[in-house]
């Protein structure tokens, strides 16, 4: 079984997600105490997919996150660099155009998509800033980016409890439900090491995005960032 390290070598991260693909959605549901369903609904609202729009869903995994965009009538491309995740997703939703791709070198033309979104995947990319620039490149002028990512709880006492849960409670729970519990130790560490909300907004700005803003969900356990590509 593979466990990635915090230097996030792409082959290690991809292999780790290959290992957990079959039970990934179930494990997330258990570890988040069911909150991940609510978070994904908020992502769908923020993306605001419309009929005939083109949506790129990065780190789409098995495409659980892509389905609301398709249901809204948009053309959605689920993209991931874990072939294991894509294979599981393709079995479940054969009609979706699953695409293998690295977020730092996207296999799409400039100005292609009305919206690019990534949920719980940006912190697993080796070069965050390169990924933000690539998302900007493939978004059409006037388009938008929506990033849903674990973040930093805003209330200090809760932040302490949350950090303790991540490092102490999460690994034994993962052992009970996941096919690769070590992967979830890495995921907990990567959450703890991730920049806070203002820092990510600044990185979006430096990558070219305008009007970056965020909204905290579940007290800042998760932050929903949105920004635009000026026309």
């Amino acid at each position: 079984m593979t466990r990635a390290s915090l230097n996030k070598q792409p082959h290690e991260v991809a292999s780790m997600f290959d290992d957990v693909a079959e039970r990934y959605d179930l494990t997330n549901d258990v570890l988040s105490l069911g909150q991940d369903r609510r978070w994904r609904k908020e992502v769908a609202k923020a993306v605001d997919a419309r009929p005939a729009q083109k949506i790129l869903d990065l780190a789409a995994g098995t495409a659980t996150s892509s389905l609301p965009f398709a249901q809204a009538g948009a053309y959605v491309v689920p993209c991931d660099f874990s072939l294991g995740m894509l294979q599981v997703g393709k079995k479940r939703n054969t009609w979706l155009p699953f695409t293998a791709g690295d977020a730092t070198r996207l296999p799409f033309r400039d100005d292609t998509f009305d919206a690019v979104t990534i949920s719980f995947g940006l912190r697993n990319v080796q070069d965050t800033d390169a990924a933000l620039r690539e998302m900007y490149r493939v978004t059409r002028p006037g388009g938008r980016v929506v990033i849903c990512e674990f973040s930093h709880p805003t209330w200090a006492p809760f932040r302490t409890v949350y950090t303790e849960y991540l490092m102490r409670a999460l690994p034994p729970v993962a052992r009970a439900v996941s096919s690769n519990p070590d992967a979830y130790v890495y995921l907990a560490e990567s959450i703890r090491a991730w920049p806070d909300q203002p820092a990510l907004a600044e990185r979006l700005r430096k990558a070219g995005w305008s009007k970056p803003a965020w909204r905290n969900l579940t007290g800042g356990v998760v932050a929903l960032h949105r920004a635009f590509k000026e026309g």
Side-chain angles (χ1 to χ4, degrees), residues 3-4 6 16 31 166-167 170-172 174-175 180-192:
R3 179 196 162 191
L6 287 182
M16 183 186 74
L31 293 176
L166 275 178
M167 299 316 296
L170 189 147
R175 272 194 292 277
N180 182 5
D182 279 349
Y184 287 86
V185 176
Y186 154 78
L187 291 171
E189 291 171 350
S190 69
I191 291 167
R192 203 163 60 163

Side-chain angles (χ1 to χ4, degrees), residues 2 10 13 16-17 26 39 62 65 103 114 131 137 144 153 172 203 208:
T2 302
V13 177
M16 183 186 74
F17 279 104
L26 168 66
W39 297 334
T62 61
S65 55
D114 296 283
R137 179 184 68 77
R144 58 214 182 271
R203 290 173 90 158

Side-chain angles (χ1 to χ4, degrees), residues 6-7 19 40 49 88 100 124 133 162 186 195 201 212 220 222 226:
L6 287 182
N7 66 9
D19 287 344
R40 291 189 189 283
V88 171
N124 298 317
R133 289 192 298 269
Y162 172 66
Y186 154 78
V222 163
R226 187 160 66 167

Side-chain angles (χ1 to χ4, degrees), residues 88-202:
V88 171
K90 193 68 176 173
K91 282 183 209 163
R92 296 177 186 171
N93 299 289
T94 55
W95 51 279
L96 284 172
F98 286 89
T99 303
D102 180 341
T104 64
R105 293 189 304 277
L106 291 171
F108 307 106
R109 292 180 181 175
D110 297 358
D111 306 334
T112 296
F113 296 97
D114 296 283
V116 177
T117 183
I118 183 167
S119 294
F120 309 113
L122 187 58
R123 75 181 192 288
N124 298 317
V125 177
Q126 188 177 35
D127 188 339
T128 303
D129 298 317
L132 294 175
R133 289 192 298 269
E134 273 291 88
M135 292 179 209
Y136 184 86
R137 179 184 68 77
V138 302
T139 301
R140 67 164 181 78
R144 58 214 182 271
V145 66
V146 174
I147 298 166
C148 184
E149 189 52 89
F150 289 108
S151 199
H152 293 246
T154 51
W155 189 47
F158 175 57
R159 188 160 60 238
T160 303
V161 171
Y162 172 66
T163 303
E164 288 294 307
Y165 167 74
L166 275 178
M167 299 316 296
R168 293 192 183 185
L170 189 147
V173 173
R175 272 194 292 277
V177 293
S178 171
S179 53
N180 182 5
D182 279 349
Y184 287 86
V185 176
Y186 154 78
L187 291 171
E189 291 171 350
S190 69
I191 291 167
R192 203 163 60 163
W194 185 245
D196 65 11
Q197 292 89 322
L200 183 55
E202 181 57 27

